[in-house]
């Protein structure tokens, strides 16, 4: 049945500008946008149910392109360390606990609830090596009605023994999850997830690439985040010409849909290979700062035509709100501009587009209100932000900078309103 919603509608078809419909209408049928217009007659929806949201903002829902679910409890901890000591002293000890599915359920329910709070309806998620806990996380996303690509993490070196598994165990666990969850049009699906090259032997990377090819599965990992990490990769994968090439040699760099987090130091041949293979960047600005990795050259990625989405990178990043990632992305780009005057700072429409339509393409037709797109949406009531006398765009900007989950009154994923998940 076709539904129609009336509100102030804002979205980005392209990165350079917003589409703004004051008191506009959007028609939704079978979970997808059937049309959007300034008046009801244009939509040809006579007799349809109309929900009038009044003086509120209707925008696409958020997409988090890089987040570590088992690190949820570590938010805001050890933010004075760099990447490798942070992993050894904080991240790995926490991830060991997920062998216990009771503990995993307690933390994962809170994690999903917070994604919901902040309006993130789709996410690319790292789990742990533990198949049972990863399955649990996927089931919890299904229970919530929210979309996710969830990865059972692969690693077998440079980590505690409790977080290592054999190549055979990794393959067996992934194949079990693929058999259970990889269905046509599924909201929650597996994604092949080698943690990063330093934690995977050549045999492990090869097996991950073979899984991705055999089942045509998407891939996620980390790339060129930290200078010490890059040096280590060159020592471990001597035949590779770059960090990106180390993935590419094993079929993990765009041979199937691929998102790589960070890419702070990506340049030269690695950049060309990323562009050629259509690899998406998950830009995680708070993590750039917290883990002292550096400032990602996002303007360069955009100008080169490389796909970019935003990620929270909890717990390298200290919060889950993708709205705050927009703010930090602009701020990081301004710091980058001070050092590289030929790269202009990011604009509000660009970071909004990255969080919605650009990121959403990794999940299909997601992230816009154009006809045919899945209706993932948020309704924003910004009255307590004293919005009088502001334009609709200024109201949206003020919500992005000043608002929080209290102003999000309705959340939709694939056309269904998503109630508050159970903790």
């Amino acid at each position: 049945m076709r539904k129609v919603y009336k509100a102030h509608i804002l979205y980005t078809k392209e990165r350079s500008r917003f589409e703004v419909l004051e008191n506009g209408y959007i028609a939704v049928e079978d979970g997808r946008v059937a049309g959007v217009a300034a008046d009801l007659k244009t939509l040809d929806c006579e007799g349809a149910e109309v929900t009038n949201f009044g003086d509120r903002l209707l925008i696409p829902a958020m997409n988090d392109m890089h987040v570590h679910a088992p690190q949820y409890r570590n938010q805001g901890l050890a933010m004075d360390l760099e990447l490798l000591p942070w992993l050894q002293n904080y991240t790995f000890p926490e991830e060991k606990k997920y062998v216990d599915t009771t503990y995993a359920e307690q933390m994962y329910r809170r994690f999903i609830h917070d994604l919901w709070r902040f309006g993130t309806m789709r996410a690319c998620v790292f789990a742990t090596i533990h198949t049972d806990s990863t399955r649990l996380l996927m089931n919890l996303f299904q229970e919530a009605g929210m979309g996710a690509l969830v990865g059972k993490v692969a690693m077998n070196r440079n980590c505690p023994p409790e977080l290592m598994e054999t190549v055979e165990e990794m393959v067996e666990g992934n194949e079990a999850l693929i058999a259970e969850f990889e269905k046509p049009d599924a909201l929650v699906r597996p994604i092949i997830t080698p943690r990063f090259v330093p934690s995977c032997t050549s045999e492990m990377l090869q097996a991950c690439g073979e899984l991705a090819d055999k089942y045509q599965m998407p891939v996620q990992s980390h790339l060129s985040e930290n200078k010490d990490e890059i040096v280590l990769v060159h020592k471990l994968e001597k035949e590779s010409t770059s960090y990106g090439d180390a993935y590419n040699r094993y079929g993990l760099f765009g041979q199937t849909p691929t998102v790589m987090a960070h890419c702070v130091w990506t340049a030269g041949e690695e950049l060309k290979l990323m562009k050629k293979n259509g690899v998406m960047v998950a830009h995680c600005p708070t993590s750039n700062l917290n883990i002292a990795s550096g400032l990602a050259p996002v303007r360069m990625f955009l100008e080169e035509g490389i796909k970019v989405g935003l990620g929270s990178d909890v717990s390298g990043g200290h919060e889950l709100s993708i709205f705050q990632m927009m703010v930090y992305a602009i701020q990081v780009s301004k710091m980058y501009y001070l050092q590289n005057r030929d790269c202009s700072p990011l604009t509000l429409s660009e970071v909004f587009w990255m969080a919605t339509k650009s990121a959403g393409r990794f999940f299909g037709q997601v992230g816009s209100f154009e006809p045919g797109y899945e209706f993932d949406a948020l309704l924003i009531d910004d009255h307590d932000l004293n919005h009088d006398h502001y334009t609709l765009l200024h109201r949206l900007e003020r919500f992005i900078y000043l608002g929080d989950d209290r102003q999000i009154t309705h959340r939709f994923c694939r056309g269904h309103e998503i109630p508050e998940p159970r903790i």
Side-chain angles (χ1 to χ4, degrees):
M1 179 180 175
R2 181 170 289 198
K3 295 182 178 180
V4 178
Y5 301 101
K6 181 183 180 184
H8 303 312
I9 299 170
L10 302 96
Y11 62 106
T12 45
K13 287 183 182 178
E14 53 195 54
R15 75 174 202 246
S16 61
R17 64 188 180 89
F18 282 93
E19 306 294 322
V20 181
L21 286 84
E22 185 174 2
N23 294 312
Y25 295 85
I26 187 165
V28 178
E29 189 168 8
D30 297 327
R32 293 184 179 269
V33 176
V36 59
D39 62 89
L40 195 55
K41 290 182 180 179
T42 305
L43 288 179
D44 190 26
C45 288
E46 191 171 334
E49 174 189 346
V50 178
T51 301
N52 187 347
F53 286 127
D55 187 33
R56 286 184 271 186
L57 311 178
L58 185 66
I59 63 173
M62 297 295 104
N63 304 289
D64 190 335
M65 296 310 298
H66 183 67
V67 61
H68 293 264
Q71 296 177 26
Y72 170 79
R73 189 171 180 268
N74 277 0
Q75 286 181 94
L77 294 180
M79 295 290 90
D80 54 350
L81 296 180
E82 291 192 25
L83 175 64
L84 299 182
W86 174 81
L87 284 171
Q88 294 294 336
N89 296 312
Y90 285 86
T91 301
F92 290 153
E94 177 63 17
E95 292 192 7
K96 289 179 192 177
K97 300 176 184 178
Y98 284 77
V99 68
D100 178 359
T101 54
T102 300
Y103 180 80
E105 180 170 2
Q106 180 185 18
M107 290 297 112
Y108 283 159
R109 282 193 179 278
R110 294 180 182 180
F111 165 73
I112 290 173
H113 182 267
D114 268 8
L115 286 180
W116 175 89
R117 282 179 55 217
F118 293 116
T120 299
M121 293 292 105
R122 313 252 182 164
C124 284
V125 185
F126 278 58
T128 60
I129 68 162
H130 310 104
T131 301
D132 288 342
S133 290
T134 304
R135 177 183 292 109
L136 171 67
L137 177 59
M138 298 177 80
N139 282 326
L140 292 175
F141 269 111
Q142 286 186 331
E143 178 186 306
M146 294 157 58
L149 293 167
V150 179
K152 168 184 158 59
V153 171
M155 54 183 179
N156 65 343
R157 67 176 173 190
N158 292 327
C159 61
E162 299 93 329
L163 290 177
M164 290 186 187
E165 60 179 351
T166 66
V167 172
E168 293 73 21
E169 288 169 333
M170 183 279 294
V171 171
E172 181 181 351
N174 269 290
E175 289 192 323
L177 295 173
I178 290 167
E180 186 172 347
F181 291 95
E182 184 58 18
K183 297 176 174 62
D185 211 30
L187 255 180
V188 181
R189 301 172 55 215
I191 182 170
I192 303 302
T193 307
R195 188 183 201 106
F196 64 163
V197 170
S199 66
C200 296
T201 62
S202 297
E203 293 76 17
M204 182 67 84
L205 291 168
Q206 182 69 35
C208 285
E210 290 171 357
L211 277 172
D213 178 63
K214 179 179 179 179
Y215 297 101
Q216 287 301 290
M217 301 299 297
V219 171
Q220 64 178 349
S221 196
H222 301 83
L223 179 68
S224 297
E225 179 179 6
N226 174 282
K227 286 186 174 180
D228 290 342
E229 169 199 9
I230 295 168
V231 170
L232 179 56
V233 169
H234 283 304
K235 289 179 180 177
L236 295 171
E237 292 288 332
K238 291 183 173 62
E239 295 181 13
S240 298
T241 58
S242 68
Y243 197 160
D245 184 54
Y247 289 115
N248 190 57
R249 290 172 60 243
Y250 300 107
L252 295 166
F253 207 63
Q255 289 80 6
T256 59
T258 301
V259 58
M260 288 283 165
H262 308 304
C263 307
V264 173
W265 301 104
T266 292
E269 292 301 315
E270 183 172 275
L271 183 69
K272 292 178 182 177
L273 185 60
M274 176 174 283
K275 181 177 180 179
K276 176 185 174 184
N277 290 9
V279 174
M280 176 178 281
V281 174
H283 175 42
C284 306
T286 54
S287 181
N288 284 184
L289 302 171
N290 290 336
I291 310 299
S293 299
L295 307 176
V298 178
R299 171 61 64 198
M300 179 180 71
F301 295 150
L302 294 178
E303 296 303 324
E304 288 289 335
I306 290 172
K307 295 176 283 189
V308 184
L310 294 179
S312 66
D313 193 29
V314 160
S315 65
H318 57 276
E319 60 180 293
L320 279 169
S321 169
I322 297 299
F323 292 106
Q324 284 303 299
M325 296 312 109
M326 293 185 212
V327 174
Y328 284 110
I330 290 173
Q331 292 173 339
V332 165
S333 75
K334 288 179 176 179
M335 295 302 100
Y336 191 89
Y337 165 72
L338 290 176
Q339 300 172 5
N340 304 271
R341 290 287 181 170
D342 56 336
C343 286
S344 59
L346 298 174
T347 66
L348 187 71
S349 67
E350 286 175 324
V351 295
F352 189 89
W353 174 82
M354 283 191 274
T356 56
K357 185 175 180 179
S358 182
R361 74 182 94 179
F362 204 76
F363 303 97
Q365 280 190 296
V366 173
S368 181
F369 289 154
E370 296 162 69
Y373 274 70
E374 296 187 63
F375 186 65
D376 287 17
L378 305 176
L379 192 71
I380 311 299
D381 184 348
D382 61 337
H383 284 81
D384 57 351
L385 297 178
N386 298 316
H387 70 23
D388 291 349
H389 311 300
Y390 290 102
T391 66
L392 293 177
L393 274 178
H394 284 157
R395 285 173 58 181
L396 177 59
E397 182 174 25
R398 280 168 55 81
F399 166 71
I400 291 170
Y401 275 83
L402 303 177
D404 56 41
D405 57 293
R406 291 171 296 181
Q407 284 88 38
I408 305 175
T409 61
H410 296 71
R411 300 156 177 84
F412 297 87
C413 184
R414 197 175 273 180
H416 297 287
E417 184 164 4
I418 306 301
E420 184 172 0
R422 180 171 66 88
I423 298 180

